[in-house]
Amino acid sequence: LAARGLRSVYLSDRESVFATPEADDMLRWLRAAAEPGDDRLLRTALASRSLDLPLAELARLEEDELAWEETALRWQSFNACWLRHGVLPMVHALLHAYDLPARWLAAPADASGPMTLGGERRLSNVLHLAEWLQRRAVDLDGPHALIRALAQRLAEPGGEEEILRLESDAALLKVVTIHKSKGLEYPLVLLPFIAAWREEKASASRSIGFHDTEADARVIELDGKHEEAAALADEERLAEDMRLLYVALTRARHALWLGVAPLSAGSGRKVALDRGALGQVLGAGAAIDSLAGYRAALQALAEPAAPRDGASTIVIAPAPSPDTRVWHAPAPPPPGAARTPLRHGHAPWWIASYSALVQQLGGSGALAQDAPAPTAEPEDARQDQALEEAIAPADVAPEERPATAPRGGSWHAFPQGAEAGSFLHGLLEWCAQQGFARVLEAPDALRDLVARRCTVRGWEAWIEPLCDWLPRWLRTPWPLPDAEPVTLAGLAQPKSEMEFWMPVHHADARSIDAVVRGHLLPGMNRPDLPSTQLAGMLKGFMDLVFEHDGRWWVADYKSNWLGPDDAAYGDAAIQASLLAHRYDVQAALYALALHRLLRSRLPGYDPDTHLGGALTVYLRGADAPGHGLWAVRPPRQLIEELDALLRGPEEGNAE
């Protein structure tokens, strides 16, 4: 097939990749790369068949010291690549340094044997070996251990993963045994030797096996001289051949060619085609022992085939005469004109978050002049909190802050910034996971946690104040609209750091801003959200979700510093901070996320009955008259407008 220009592959090959010449050469390469200063190992690698260097080049290296030094430096670079990046990158570097892929693929195929079928076979073997080496290197210590492992495997090849891989994904003629073809389908199938058979004969030099029907057991006749045993074994052989014939005849999708001839048995001259499976089909079980009977059987096979489109479905034709023609692939058609895309631009699909919506807000309540591009979505709750703290404008100008933070255990003097905010969030998250009420019952465990976390940050002076603050936070009553006050310690089964994802279909942040402005603190001044297009997903993490008096609430902790005492955390100051940071948008979006969760999980859900609302908790204002809390029950119209806005026309209003 290769001599005629027809590319093929033998899919039933069970040869091991470690039995190929490339495996031996790979071992030579590794030894030279592991010790590039050893001239003997390097010369052996350079003379390997796979490296395929011309003899003139090898002779020049023996005589030209500069060329040899340059080659030694190249192999030292392979050694450095191996030690730094691994064996697989090193092999790739070696292949490209000597231009082996291009040289191998340009070489004509050699039809002398299955192990030398051209460049694709070589390249496939080398890459297969390189991948095996990379996997083994994970469990071995150093290059020399890997070399020993390869040498041992070459001495004892075997294993399913080492069977030769298909060298190309291109359109190839597939040579496959009938056993291997079971369950597969091919467009065209040729069975050139389907009429042949291998008869079981009595012989003193071999044993014969057959199934004994009376004993219902497998029997092996060791001396093989009994004619009866041979007849039973041949009967089983014919039954198996019939099964394989059925498999072979049912693999083709469009057309099937059968090589049929009036074959004889052994050296006999009499036609004995009926001893094979195809002969049994042609003669319908009768003997085909003459040339005339053979031709009559073929004619009988073709006649019942009903014509279709003027041609019979079965055609009897003489075998073509041998020739030496070579098939040449047709030239590819010239490229046509470039196609014009119907869509202009790309869909701005991305994963947004509350932090991404407000990151362009300046501290003055206006858009920053050099606004950055939208940031990547936070991976977890702590990253979300850190991002929110980092981009938040300051509530109090630097010159208005005290030069030195007051002492005496006041939480107004606790460190400020993203790290402090993430620290406090982490403590409250741990309390929620342990159970708020249980934390109050185990002060020693709380002190141990606080001490460990403060020590790694150099905040040892804050261990005692924090151990005092946390229980006070857990007992602080939160006044809720249209509900009795609630404390963290009194919550039953709260959920902390719940992650949500909401699909968004081409919504504009300005549209979200307009909906929030119309329903939450209407008429009050606040910075505009930037004109950011949302298309993709909206992601967030809710600090706390809890149920109280039959209604569900979402709470978000804030560590903002508004002033040096409790008077700085009055209702007006909290509202001003809330609007400057646009926490009203966060509250609305988180309430919508809770609404969608309840709608999908709570039977008979009604937002007026079951949805409580959103809480923004300023932790440093816990001792203020309002306990640092801004609580809102978003009107149903706000939730429905936001829901429809994020769904977009693609989803409509379907529940």
Side-chain angles (χ1 to χ4, degrees):
L1 291 175
R4 291 172 174 268
L6 300 173
R7 303 176 65 192
S8 64
V9 59
Y10 181 45
L11 292 180
S12 296
D13 199 344
R14 305 294 295 180
E15 289 287 345
S16 169
V17 69
F18 294 105
T20 63
E22 289 75 28
D24 294 328
D25 288 344
M26 178 66 75
L27 181 60
R28 299 182 180 104
W29 295 352
L30 294 184
R31 286 172 172 165
E35 299 185 41
D38 190 322
D39 291 354
R40 180 182 59 85
L41 295 178
L42 183 54
R43 286 190 175 92
T44 302
L46 294 173
S48 61
R49 177 180 179 183
S50 298
L51 208 57
D52 199 22
L53 293 179
L55 292 178
E57 175 67 15
L58 295 176
R60 187 176 72 88
L61 292 176
E62 286 291 323
E63 300 173 358
D64 190 338
E65 292 186 3
L66 292 178
W68 177 257
E69 184 177 350
E70 181 181 351
T71 300
L73 290 175
R74 171 181 287 182
W75 283 78
Q76 287 180 6
S77 70
F78 297 155
N79 177 268
C81 180
W82 190 351
L83 296 177
R84 178 174 297 180
H85 302 294
V87 66
L88 184 60
M90 186 276 291
V91 174
H92 286 175
L94 189 153
L95 291 175
H96 291 290
Y98 286 95
D99 199 22
L100 293 181
R103 289 164 52 200
W104 287 345
L105 295 176
D110 183 356
S112 61
M115 306 307 295
T116 54
L117 289 180
E120 287 185 350
R121 177 74 272 160
R122 275 186 172 183
L123 185 58
S124 177
N125 290 346
V126 169
L127 295 179
H128 188 172
L129 291 163
E131 292 176 15
W132 180 88
L133 290 167
Q134 182 70 16
R135 290 195 302 271
R136 292 289 287 121
V138 175
D139 304 321
L140 298 173
D141 186 14
H144 291 284
L146 187 60
I147 291 172
R148 285 194 300 271
L150 178 58
Q152 292 173 0
R153 186 52 63 93
L154 292 182
E156 301 176 358
E160 183 67 24
E161 69 169 6
E162 302 149 10
I163 294 173
L164 288 175
R165 295 177 178 175
L166 182 63
E167 62 263 30
S168 173
D169 293 330
L172 304 175
L173 295 180
K174 298 177 177 61
V175 182
V176 59
T177 62
I178 298 176
H179 287 88
K180 264 292 192 183
S181 70
K182 185 177 180 181
L184 303 176
E185 187 181 65
Y186 306 94
L188 308 175
V189 175
L190 293 88
L191 304 170
F193 313 116
I194 196 63
W197 71 91
R198 180 177 296 174
E199 191 173 4
E200 292 285 354
K201 293 183 178 181
S203 172
S205 60
R206 60 188 294 268
S207 59
I208 295 178
F210 61 92
H211 183 80
D212 191 323
T213 55
E214 294 183 3
D216 193 20
R218 185 71 177 171
V219 176
I220 298 179
E221 189 68 46
L222 296 178
D223 58 14
K225 294 187 294 184
H226 294 278
E227 295 289 342
E228 183 180 358
L232 292 173
D234 193 61
E235 184 178 349
E236 290 185 9
R237 184 273 311 166
L238 181 58
E240 175 66 9
D241 287 352
M242 292 292 291
R243 186 186 69 81
L244 292 176
L245 176 65
Y246 171 78
V247 172
L249 297 180
T250 54
R251 299 306 96 200
R253 186 183 309 149
H254 303 302
L256 171 69
W257 283 263
L258 305 179
V260 185
L263 303 178
S264 61
S267 59
R269 302 179 62 85
K270 184 179 180 182
V271 175
L273 192 60
D274 56 288
R275 298 189 184 182
L278 185 62
Q280 288 286 315
V281 174
L282 290 176
I288 302 179
D289 53 6
S290 65
L291 189 58
Y294 161 71
R295 292 173 176 169
L298 289 181
Q299 189 63 30
L301 179 67
E303 287 178 353
R308 183 178 63 184
D309 299 331
S312 176
T313 56
I314 297 180
V315 176
I316 307 298
S321 301
D323 57 50
T324 57
R325 289 181 297 171
V326 177
W327 182 77
H328 298 282
R339 300 171 66 182
T340 303
L342 300 179
R343 289 175 53 187
H344 299 283
H346 66 281
W349 197 101
W350 62 297
I351 301 176
S353 64
Y354 157 75
S355 302
L357 293 180
V358 300
Q359 68 173 323
Q360 295 177 336
L361 293 177
S364 62
L367 284 178
Q369 293 298 318
D370 298 321
T375 58
E377 79 280 1
E379 294 293 336
D380 51 37
R382 292 192 178 185
Q383 190 180 95
D384 185 38
Q385 173 62 25
L387 180 61
E388 180 182 328
E389 295 276 359
I391 66 175
D395 289 285
V396 181
E399 61 270 20
E400 297 177 8
R401 295 184 179 182
T404 59
R407 289 298 175 183
S410 169
W411 43 35
H412 303 301
F414 188 72
Q416 307 165 28
E419 183 181 5
S422 298
F423 176 81
L424 296 178
H425 274 73
L427 291 180
L428 290 171
E429 180 186 356
W430 178 85
C431 292
Q433 293 172 349
Q434 302 300 313
F436 293 123
R438 291 184 179 179
V439 171
L440 295 178
E441 298 171 357
D444 293 340
L446 175 61
R447 179 180 177 79
D448 179 69
L449 174 80
V450 172
R452 284 188 286 107
R453 295 193 177 185
C454 284
T455 301
V456 298
R457 293 170 173 80
W459 294 350
E460 290 85 351
W462 293 101
I463 295 176
E464 292 299 333
L466 284 167
C467 289
D468 176 61
W469 298 346
L470 276 167
R472 289 166 62 189
W473 276 326
L474 302 187
R475 296 189 183 99
T476 298
W478 289 352
L480 303 179
D482 303 329
E484 293 294 324
V486 66
T487 65
L488 289 176
L491 296 178
Q493 297 182 336
K495 304 296 181 183
S496 65
E497 304 301 346
M498 287 188 64
E499 181 180 1
F500 67 84
W501 294 73
M502 292 190 292
V504 183
H505 295 277
H506 305 291
D508 187 273
R510 292 288 177 88
S511 301
I512 297 175
D513 192 10
V515 173
V516 175
R517 286 172 179 269
H519 295 283
L520 299 183
L521 302 176
M524 299 193 68
N525 187 36
R526 67 201 84 181
D528 295 330
L529 291 185
S531 182
T532 304
Q533 288 293 327
L534 305 181
M537 301 294 291
L538 183 64
K539 176 183 180 180
F541 297 87
M542 297 181 280
D543 289 343
L544 191 69
V545 174
F546 64 91
E547 182 268 337
H548 178 63
D549 289 344
R551 288 177 178 164
W552 293 84
W553 301 79
V554 54
D556 198 80
Y557 309 127
K558 304 299 180 186
S559 62
N560 303 48
W561 189 84
L562 304 186
D565 51 35
D566 294 336
Y569 293 85
D571 292 343
I574 285 180
Q575 282 194 8
S577 171
L578 179 109
L579 293 175
H581 292 280
R582 296 311 309 268
Y583 293 150
D584 56 332
V585 174
Q586 185 181 29
L589 293 175
Y590 284 22
L592 173 61
L594 181 58
H595 161 77
R596 289 191 173 185
L597 174 65
L598 296 175
R599 185 176 60 191
S600 64
R601 300 284 183 86
L602 194 61
Y605 167 73
D606 180 71
D608 293 331
T609 304
H610 301 103
L611 182 61
L615 312 177
T616 303
V617 185
Y618 283 75
L619 298 174
R620 299 176 193 259
D623 286 343
H627 303 292
L629 185 74
W630 182 75
V632 61
R633 287 202 67 198
R636 180 171 186 151
Q637 185 178 358
L638 166 64
I639 296 298
E640 292 178 346
E641 288 182 12
L642 276 182
D643 196 24
L645 184 62
L646 296 190
R647 285 181 180 274
E650 286 85 352
E651 289 191 43
N653 294 320
E655 292 294 329

